[in-house]
């Protein structure tokens, strides 16, 4: 591009190396010889590109926006919702009381990844919940999390692009008060459940579905604890603190 230098003049730069030719013009209309200048324009990342610079969501309801086009993925940052991503932005939220937090990336311009964590550093985060697509069987859509949260706890929210996609992020959050109970699920040797971590908070009268999966040469043998059951998956209506154990036993061959 060529810029005439008689008074301050704007120059539109693009990301990367820019070649600018500058000439001066005096009051008599005389031009100087052109001078070539190269400018390497590095586009700064968004403020909340890094975990430590997460933007705080200070109200109980609202919509936060941002662009992750120039965002990055930090060393030690986990894969959100099981995808490598690569352009994450961070927000944080501290509930005023027990309740349920709803997060959604509706109206974002690309396929998003959404994750909710606790923890003090990006490399020691503990996953609370994550989501790729809000509706199963509808890939490429928005992400959504609905999860019980406690006061005096800072929750970290990551929004990333599926396989590194980028664009405009629209993150809505809505917190409502609710009575919470604790659900704990243990296992005997020979199998696992899909509840990870094994202890979670749940809103009163909410339903949690837990599935037990037996290891090779083992079979599921029922649930014991606060109550007994044989259904698998098991739908649990949480209206008190509940502790369950998924029991497994070796398959007996004759």
């Amino acid at each position: 591009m060529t810029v005439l230098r008689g008074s301050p003049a704007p120059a539109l730069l693009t990301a990367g190396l820019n070649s600018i030719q500058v000439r001066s013009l005096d009051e008599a209309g005389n031009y100087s010889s052109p001078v070539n200048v190269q400018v390497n324009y590095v586009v700064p990342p968004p403020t909340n590109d890094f975990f430590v610079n997460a933007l705080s969501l200070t109200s109980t309801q609202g919509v936060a926006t941002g662009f992750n086009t120039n965002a990055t993925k930090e060393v030690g940052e986990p894969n959100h919702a099981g995808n490598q991503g690569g352009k994450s932005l961070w927000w944080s939220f501290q509930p005023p009381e027990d309740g349920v937090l709803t997060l959604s990336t509706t109206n974002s311009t690309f396929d998003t990844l959404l994750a909710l964590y606790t923890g003090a550093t990006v490399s020691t985060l503990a996953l609370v919940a994550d989501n790729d697509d809000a509706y199963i069987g509808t890939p490429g859509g928005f992400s959504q999390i609905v999860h019980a949260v406690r006061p005096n706890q800072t929750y970290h929210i990551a929004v990333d692009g599926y396989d590194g996609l980028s664009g405009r992020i629209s993150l809505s959050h809505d917190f409502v008060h609710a009575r919470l109970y604790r659900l704990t699920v243990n296992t005997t040797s020979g199998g696992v459940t899909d509840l990870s971590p094994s202890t979670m908070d749940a809103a009163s009268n909410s339903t949690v579905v837990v599935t037990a999966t037996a290891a090779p040469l083992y079979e599921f043998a029922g649930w014991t604890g606060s109550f007994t059951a044989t259904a698998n998956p098991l739908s649990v209506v949480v209206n008190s603190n509940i502790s369950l154990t998924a029991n497994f036993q070796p398959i007996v061959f004759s």
Side-chain angles (χ1 to χ4, degrees):
M1 71 179 70
T2 300
V3 176
L4 295 178
R5 181 67 175 175
S7 58
L12 182 63
L13 301 178
T14 58
L17 189 63
N18 294 260
S19 226
I20 303 174
Q21 188 179 80
V22 181
R23 291 192 301 165
S24 294
L25 175 66
D26 63 20
E27 294 181 357
N30 299 309
Y31 291 96
S32 69
S33 299
V35 175
N36 293 318
V37 178
Q38 287 192 327
V39 177
N40 189 16
Y41 177 45
V42 179
V43 181
T47 301
N48 55 334
D49 180 27
F50 295 101
F51 172 83
V52 295
N53 294 329
L55 297 179
S56 178
L57 303 174
T58 56
S59 64
T60 57
Q61 185 181 55
V63 178
T65 59
F67 290 86
N68 72 328
T69 306
N70 299 311
T72 59
K73 185 170 184 175
E74 296 176 66
V75 174
E77 182 175 339
N79 290 339
H80 310 299
N83 183 269
Q84 63 183 358
K87 292 180 176 291
S88 59
L89 295 185
W90 292 90
W91 284 267
S92 64
F93 180 74
Q94 188 169 20
E97 56 186 334
D98 285 353
V100 175
L101 177 63
T102 300
L103 301 169
S104 175
T105 60
T106 306
N107 298 323
S108 296
T109 61
F110 59 97
D111 186 4
T112 57
L113 306 168
L114 180 62
L116 183 67
Y117 299 95
T118 58
T121 65
V122 72
S123 59
T124 59
L125 292 173
L127 179 65
V128 176
D130 59 9
N131 180 252
D132 177 7
D133 299 310
Y135 298 106
I136 298 175
T138 310
F142 70 96
S143 309
Q144 181 172 283
I145 290 174
V146 181
H147 206 278
V149 290
R150 296 280 190 179
N152 302 318
Q153 173 68 66
T154 299
Y155 293 87
H156 305 282
I157 304 158
V159 180
D160 205 342
Y162 188 90
D163 283 346
L165 292 176
S166 63
R168 180 180 182 273
I169 292 174
S170 179
L171 173 65
S172 64
H173 71 282
D174 185 17
F175 171 82
V176 294
H177 167 73
R179 186 172 184 178
L180 303 184
Y181 292 107
R182 182 64 54 90
L183 171 63
T184 302
V185 177
N186 301 305
T187 64
T188 60
S189 60
V192 296
T193 72
D194 61 349
L195 186 64
S196 179
S198 59
T199 299
M200 66 173 290
D201 294 317
S204 177
N205 294 318
S206 63
T207 300
V208 178
V209 179
V210 185
T211 302
T213 302
L217 303 181
Y218 282 82
E219 61 184 358
F220 175 65
W223 304 91
T224 56
S226 298
F227 56 84
T228 60
T230 57
N232 188 33
L234 177 67
S235 295
V236 181
V237 178
V238 182
N239 48 29
S240 63
N241 292 326
I242 296 173
S243 179
L244 292 173
T245 297
N247 297 279
F248 302 92
Q249 62 187 19
I251 298 174
V252 178
F253 296 94
S254 58

